[in-house]
Amino acid sequence: MTGAALTWQLLRDLEPSEFETAGDGWHEVSGRADSDRVKTDRVMTAGLRETQQGEAANGALARLERLSRNFQYIHTEAGLIRTALNGLAAELAVPRKQLLEALEDARSLKFTVHEDGSVSYPAAVGETLLGEGEAPGGTARGSGRLPLEAPGPNERPGLPAGRFLPNPHAAKAQGIADGIARAVRSAAEIDGRYATALGKLGAARGLDVTEATTDDVFRDTAVVRTTAGTYLGHGIPWDRTPAERKEWWDALTEEQRQEYLEVAPDLVGNLDGVPAVARDEANRNHLPVLISDLEQRGGEAARTKLDALRELRDKLNEPTKVPMYLLGIGDEGNGRAIVAYGNPDTSRNVSTYVPGLGTKLDKGFVDDTLQRGMDTAVGARGYDSSSAAIVWLGYDAPQDADVMGTGDAQRGAPAYNGFMDGLAATSQHDDPHFTAIGHSYGSLTVGTATQQDGGIPGADDIILLGSPGTGVDRAEDLGVGRDHVFVGAADNDPVTKLPSKQQGAVAAPLILGGPLAAYVAGDIADQGDDDLYFGRDPASEAFGARRFEVDDGPRPIRDLGGFDAHSQYFTPEKDGVSARNIALIVSGNSEEIKTEEWR
């Protein structure tokens, strides 16, 4: 803020709006640089590529690309300065307000505030047991420490008492002096923190954006993010509904939105209620930070997530049949990733698929699980072009043996409902069509979500695939009406034949062998009650859902198919009839599906 030591007079005379005005100037510089970069790329570079060839043209293109990188660097660095100045203004406003309140208290009491921040108060006359007496005035010296903070070695109490009775002004003066000292101490800490951050924002002469410069931008962003984190996080309505968060986001200025997207993307990338395009930009900006963090860690779990995020980054940069939107990312638990194929805010039909057993943020998720989202989107768009499909790994799916518990589903259900509520809030359609899809253990998570207060927000249809049960016994218990619950269950899918807990006593040794052994148990475990491990078999008549045709798939043992029948529901090349039925339901054409008999 200044080169001199901060005093209460400087803090009093400070105008935080001056920093905001300076920030506006840097915002203008950032905006102009971004506009010039766009013109360079879309007009000059593109025009040169289309009309010129040869060595001279290649040289000119290289210089234009360098110019574009320079504009991008200026755009980013100027934006960081803007954020730092705005953060400084916002944070200094708090201690300045505290100081002004203390000074006003002193003025109203006719106390004197000295240059060093001490506060003098007058003598007081009052009655004592010995008659009328006078408590002399004095001076209170403030302490910058917090109320519960231990006094320093050189601090002495500043409450002189009168000879005959304590002066009632003394405690008030001490409170004012302490308030002044704390305000100055807080402002000095803020000033120092931002001065350090701003001091690191600079570029060498003869700017050329090299790999080292890119690393510098990355470090600068991290510094400003750390410094301005309190300022940026303060206004986010964490405890509000997604609809209220949407209102908050819409009310922000474009400058404020850019601050979140560029400097603190982790604060809004996973925030339900923020529009999909903004979440995508935030998460793409945050992805390199996550990758960098994981590169510093050791252990197999970190390496698994790191490899997955690197592959996801590459996939996001490649052209795809349907545009990808990164709606969520994180390294907590087994990893988080929410990927949409198609913009869910502008699409009428939106499906959100919850994967199950064994799913985590790894190479298999990026290569296989995401492909299921792509296949669903492509299939649905064949019937209605206004369709998007989301893969939602927003919880810890069970890994291996712990599949027998319901805890993961119970923890995942509120997060899933929050995400679905966000989709409803940001949808641009008056009558959107939402489909919840649960595969494997994910069907239990979806079923559990339906039992939360109000059910799954916005859900019109529910699809259950390869389900070991949903936690309920009837389709109508899922909250969308039994005619809107659809089930795909391959006869050779062992997960759809996990014995119930009651049947476990008969087939316990086989259950311990896993789903394949449970499949072999077949007739032994089947007591005719249509129960699976997590409740009534969704493919049974007793459950009452609409069962659609799927390919039976290879038998787990005889054809050495393993879990193939459990994993091919989405894949047109392996199970075209199932993929078609899923696409029809997601696109709002469920009356055209092919059904089959209940079990």
Side-chain angles (χ1 to χ4, degrees), residues 387-425:
S387 299
I390 300 169
V391 178
W392 185 85
L393 184 61
Y395 80 127
D396 278 331
Q399 309 292 313
D400 301 322
D402 58 355
V403 68
M404 292 301 179
T406 60
D408 288 325
Q410 291 168 348
R411 286 182 289 271
Y416 182 69
N417 280 352
F419 178 76
M420 294 294 286
D421 202 4
L423 290 182

Side-chain angles (χ1 to χ4, degrees), residues 365-388:
F365 174 82
V366 178
D367 290 343
D368 301 326
T369 308
L370 289 185
Q371 184 60 43
R372 296 172 183 172
M374 171 64 86
D375 289 338
T376 301
V378 171
R381 286 183 169 212
Y383 298 102
D384 186 341
S385 60
S386 184
S387 299

Side-chain angles (χ1 to χ4, degrees), residues 58-80:
N58 291 337
L61 283 172
R63 289 191 291 275
L64 285 173
E65 288 170 356
R66 175 185 175 183
L67 180 62
S68 176
R69 291 196 302 271
N70 289 348
F71 281 139
Q72 178 60 40
Y73 180 82
I74 294 169
H75 165 67
T76 302
E77 291 288 305
L80 291 176

